[in-house]
Amino acid sequence: MDAKKVGAQIATLRKTKGITQNELGERIGVSFQAVSKWERGETLPDTSLLPDLAKILETTVDFILLGGEKVIEYKGKCTVGDMRKGLECLKNAGEYLGKENLIYRAAIKGINTELNTAIEEAFTNDYVFEAFLAEAIIQNLIAGFYVDISDVKNNFKHEHFKNIMIDYCNKHGIK
């Protein structure tokens, strides 16, 4: 927890509400000097004061303690292995149903149209397969899922896609 960020967040929220340091201190039972020390990042509010502080500032304790940074809530976890299996199932659908089967052709056409691509090339080219694998994971991340970065590091064969995924994860707060 960064005391300077927490303090800056308290100051910003307090000012937005048009409350002075003295008024805030009176409302939660501390001196204006204590509020001033929080806002300068010299000290942090006592944990017993945080619920009242959040209520007065019309926010959450998390929002204060994270210095205004967004709390990321994930819908679930995806793995590189599961995404790989999903793409392999699509390939297998063509083998089991037949590549001329209407259901298979419709699925392929939908993917090709939505992604402006030719996914069947991925079924015979490992490099192209990993491009689709990276895209599948990115789509899950956009949808609110989490992937363990060590899973990415250990399960991508091509450095190019491994690095793209690591950069994407880092930019989205996944360490």
Side-chain angles (χ1 to χ4, degrees):
M1 189 173 347
D2 185 331
K4 295 244 184 247
K5 283 184 180 181
V6 171
Q9 184 63 9
I10 293 170
T12 299
L13 292 168
R14 177 184 59 75
K15 291 173 186 174
T16 300
K17 299 290 174 214
I19 303 171
T20 66
Q21 288 180 341
N22 194 45
E23 290 169 331
L24 180 58
E26 286 177 2
R27 289 173 73 177
I28 57 174
V30 299
S31 68
F32 76 90
Q33 292 96 335
V35 174
S36 178
K37 285 183 177 182
W38 299 342
E39 291 183 0
R40 290 193 311 266
E42 294 175 12
T43 61
L44 290 168
D46 187 87
T47 56
S48 65
L49 300 174
L50 290 172
D52 290 336
L53 182 60
K55 185 175 180 180
I56 292 165
L57 297 176
E58 298 178 14
T59 190
T60 64
V61 171
D62 284 347
F63 196 68
I64 292 170
L65 294 179
L66 292 172
E69 293 180 16
K70 183 180 176 186
V71 176
I72 300 172
E73 293 185 28
Y74 296 103
K75 292 179 182 176
K77 184 176 180 180
C78 68
T79 67
V80 175
D82 286 346
M83 298 294 100
R84 188 179 299 278
K85 285 178 192 173
L87 289 172
E88 288 169 356
C89 283
L90 185 60
K91 174 185 176 185
N92 292 339
E95 293 171 11
Y96 294 131
L97 295 173
K99 293 190 180 184
E100 298 307 317
N101 181 286
L102 181 61
I103 294 170
Y104 176 75
R105 294 293 345 137
I108 295 300
K109 182 179 179 184
I111 293 167
N112 289 345
T113 300
E114 288 295 315
L115 296 177
N116 192 27
T117 190
I119 193 165
E120 287 177 302
E121 182 182 352
F123 302 153
T124 59
N125 182 323
D126 190 53
Y127 189 80
V128 175
F129 186 88
E130 280 213 348
F132 279 98
L133 179 61
E135 182 62 33
I137 294 168
I138 288 170
Q139 290 303 314
N140 273 5
L141 297 178
I142 290 169
F145 287 81
Y146 172 86
V147 64
D148 189 314
I149 202 155
S150 64
D151 186 26
V152 169
K153 289 177 181 177
N154 294 329
N155 291 297
F156 269 85
K157 298 174 188 172
H158 299 281
E159 289 296 318
H160 175 74
F161 295 114
K162 183 185 298 188
N163 292 333
I164 287 172
M165 291 305 307
I166 291 169
D167 288 346
Y168 191 89
C169 289
N170 288 331
K171 287 178 186 172
H172 289 84
I174 299 171
K175 304 289 181 204

